Amino acid sequence: MTEEEAAQAVDEAPADEESPAEGDTPAEETPDEDLLGPETTTLVARVANEDESLAADVEERLADIESDRRELDAEVEDLEARLRRNRADFKNYKKRAKKRQKQLEKRATEDLIERLIDVRDNLRRAVEAEHEDVESLRDGVEITLRELDRVFEDENVSQIHPESGDEVDPQRHEVMLRVESDHPEDTIADVFQPGYEMADKVLQAAQVTVSDGSGDE
């Protein structure tokens, strides 16, 4: 081959690959999806979706908790306010009840006193009246005594007046002394002063004497 033929062959040979000229379209880059592979890309997308959903769910849950907390705080505040009012009302009620109790205590015997006033007036008239003899005075006093007994009966007050020979009841009888008596020893010989009881409660024990048993021998 001559030099001219060699030079011609070089000119006709295909040119080496060169960078594209300005304005030419660059070669396409391989997407990440292709680099990771389709299965891995799908998994990453699913995790991303689940994380966003979880975040939204947590945010919603926290909002619900905050809302519940505020409602509970409001409810607690309302209950505390109601408790304070109830305490104040109860305190006022106790004051009113105490005042009412004192009033009732002062007037508890009002009805009894009103009836005893009549008894006293009758006694006063019996004392102030001129009597021709002792019997007329005695009659007036007996009438007043019966009136007083009616008042006692209305108040459920009864007399404690044991019979001679009865057993001594320490709850209802007060032994004044031991005396000679035909009754059995340690039984009631006589009643020195009657007692009184009201609704099974002893107001005043009967004063009695007790037999020493000497007369029984």
Side-chain angles (χ1 to χ4, degrees):
M1 178 180 297
T2 64
E3 292 180 1
E4 292 181 1
E5 290 175 347
Q8 185 177 0
V10 171
D11 293 336
E12 293 176 357
D16 293 335
E17 231 177 311
E18 295 179 356
S19 298
E22 185 178 354
D24 294 344
T25 302
E28 290 186 10
E29 297 179 358
T30 304
D32 294 340
E33 291 82 0
D34 294 338
L35 294 174
L36 295 175
E39 294 182 359
T40 304
T41 302
T42 302
L43 179 60
V44 170
R46 289 178 59 187
V47 170
N49 290 334
E50 290 182 6
D51 285 343
E52 291 179 1
S53 176
L54 180 60
D57 183 64
V58 170
E59 183 179 2
E60 182 179 358
R61 181 58 180 162
L62 289 175
D64 291 340
I65 292 175
E66 178 65 17
S67 177
D68 293 342
R69 186 188 66 80
R70 292 181 179 179
E71 291 180 1
L72 289 175
D73 287 345
E75 185 176 354
V76 168
E77 184 177 353
D78 179 65
L79 290 174
E80 289 177 345
R82 290 168 59 185
L83 179 60
R84 288 192 295 269
R85 289 195 299 269
N86 289 338
R87 285 177 175 174
D89 292 342
F90 183 67
K91 186 176 181 180
N92 292 333
Y93 166 77
K94 287 179 64 177
K95 289 182 180 179
R96 291 193 301 269
K98 188 175 182 179
K99 182 178 180 180
R100 179 61 177 169
Q101 181 65 26
K102 289 182 178 180
Q103 292 175 345
L104 291 175
E105 289 175 356
K106 291 180 179 179
R107 302 186 61 182
T109 58
E110 182 177 330
D111 180 64
L112 174 62
I113 296 302
E114 287 179 353
R115 284 177 287 166
L116 290 179
I117 288 174
D118 293 336
V119 176
R120 185 185 183 282
D121 288 343
N122 288 336
L123 283 174
R124 179 179 54 79
R125 282 192 290 267
V127 171
E128 293 176 352
E130 295 183 0
H131 300 280
E132 297 179 357
D133 52 34
V134 177
E135 284 299 321
S136 62
L137 176 60
R138 180 184 180 89
D139 291 341
V141 172
E142 287 181 346
I143 292 174
T144 304
L145 180 60
R146 287 194 295 270
E147 184 178 356
L148 181 59
D149 287 340
R150 283 195 297 271
V151 173
F152 280 2
E153 184 178 358
D154 292 341
E155 295 296 325
N156 199 23
V157 176
S158 58
Q159 198 176 79
I160 301 175
H161 198 297
E163 297 292 334
S164 297
D166 287 349
E167 295 291 334
V168 176
D169 183 352
Q171 302 297 325
R172 306 173 73 240
H173 307 148
E174 179 184 0
V175 177
M176 303 301 294
L177 55 103
R178 298 172 67 86
V179 298
E180 294 183 3
S181 173
D182 294 335
H183 296 289
E185 185 177 3
D186 293 330
T187 61
I188 294 175
D190 197 7
V191 177
F192 179 74
Q193 179 175 298
Y196 296 91
E197 58 185 349
M198 180 178 183
D200 297 328
K201 179 181 179 181
V202 176
L203 302 177
Q204 176 180 297
Q207 296 180 351
V208 299
T209 58
V210 175
S211 174
D212 62 4
S214 61
D216 189 39
E217 296 178 356

